[in-house]
Amino acid sequence: QQQVKQSPQSLIVQKGGISIINCAYENTAFDYFPWYQQFPGKGPALLIAIRPDVSEKKEGRFTISFNKSAKQFSLHIMDSQPGDSATYFCAARGWNTDKLIFGTGTRLQVFP
Amino acid sequence: ETGVTQSPTHLIKTRGQQVTLRCSSQSGHNTVSWYQQALGQGPQFIFQYYREEENGRGNFPPRFSGLQFPNYSSELNVNALELDDSALYLCASSSRSTGDNEQFFGPGTRLTVL
């Protein structure tokens, strides 16, 4: 019940295309869902986060879509760029804890 | 504003040894969390420190221990190192007094156990 399942494991997208990464969770006590971007040799960097009281949040080219009833959320990267090539992790956190539960990661490659 | 810093960057130890990793939290942050990230995996929560006390622990044995100092910096200590302890160890700082309590990660310490 503590797991966050992430797919796909890897993704190849052409420059200018849309990258979509999906996550699913079981624990209904989760109330905060961040996405992190990690480049090789670096720590994860917070990209965007959402709470379950909204269905969508957009920041620049990055959008989170959230489906509370299906217990699923996804990251959409519009107009993908080669500089977006990195590993992306979804995560979840309960209302009474700071412990982040991470997905297994998606390696995104954007080709020119 | 200074971000989260960790030292050392890389470390090589042999099985059975002990190691200490260090973390300086971002300015204004009072909470430090430690995560272990094995190769090709997502980070796994080890524990968190708030007000110099452990405040939440993941599924890690007692040989993983830590400290938080009055300036909010922190140490992770691992005793009796095992081969499976080889991983990237990440420190994240946050502030319980602001917003969503977002966690900001340092660059990590790469530990190799031979």
Side-chain angles (χ1 to χ4, degrees):
Chain A
Q1 214 183 17
Q2 285 292 313
Q3 281 187 320
V4 176
K5 296 182 180 180
Q6 184 173 346
S7 64
Q9 188 174 359
S10 63
L11 185 59
I12 299 175
V13 172
Q14 202 162 14
K15 179 182 175 181
I18 302 174
S19 304
I20 302 174
I21 304 171
N22 300 299
C23 284
Y25 64 97
E26 290 294 325
N27 190 342
T28 55
F30 289 152
D31 77 338
Y32 174 72
F33 302 88
W35 284 89
Y36 284 85
Q37 178 190 58
Q38 186 175 30
F39 292 104
K42 304 290 186 182
L46 180 65
L47 261 182
I48 186 173
I50 197 168
R51 288 200 177 267
D53 53 346
V54 298
S55 60
E56 187 175 282
K57 183 175 181 179
K58 183 177 180 180
E59 289 185 2
R61 296 185 294 111
F62 301 93
T63 299
I64 299 179
S65 296
F66 190 87
N67 186 329
K68 188 174 181 179
S69 60
K71 291 185 282 187
Q72 295 175 347
F73 58 110
S74 60
L75 176 69
H76 296 234
I77 306 174
M78 314 300 288
D79 187 26
S80 298
Q81 299 296 312
D84 296 331
S85 297
T87 299
Y88 292 80
F89 292 95
C90 62
R93 190 186 76 199
W95 66 272
N96 62 345
T97 177
D98 292 332
K99 173 184 176 182
L100 286 170
I101 308 296
F102 281 85
T104 50
T106 296
R107 185 184 175 200
L108 171 65
Q109 295 175 276
V110 181
F111 286 95
Chain B
E1 184 179 274
T2 306
V4 179
T5 59
Q6 293 186 243
S7 62
T9 305
H10 296 90
L11 204 51
I12 299 175
K13 292 285 188 179
T14 56
R15 197 170 48 181
Q17 286 189 311
Q18 177 266 342
V19 69
T20 297
L21 311 181
R22 294 178 174 83
C23 170
S24 291
S25 60
Q26 184 168 312
S27 177
H29 287 182
N30 54 19
T31 304
V32 172
S33 303
W34 286 92
Y35 292 80
Q36 180 195 66
Q37 185 177 22
L39 202 60
Q41 300 295 316
Q44 299 286 318
F45 178 79
I46 302 174
F47 46 53
Q48 181 184 78
Y49 277 82
Y50 174 64
R51 292 185 175 178
E52 301 178 49
E53 290 192 359
E54 187 179 293
N55 181 40
R57 188 178 185 95
N59 189 25
F60 282 82
R63 59 190 186 83
F64 285 78
S65 64
L67 285 172
Q68 186 181 32
F69 300 98
N71 66 354
Y72 306 124
S73 65
S74 177
E75 285 182 355
L76 165 65
N77 299 289
V78 187
N79 293 322
L81 283 167
E82 300 177 359
L83 298 179
D84 284 348
D85 295 333
S86 294
L88 181 68
Y89 287 84
L90 296 162
C91 166
S93 74
S94 55
S95 172
R96 290 196 168 183
S97 57
T98 60
D100 282 330
N101 194 21
E102 298 95 336
Q103 294 188 26
F104 295 89
F105 285 82
T109 293
R110 172 70 63 186
L111 173 64
T112 302
V113 182
L114 303 176

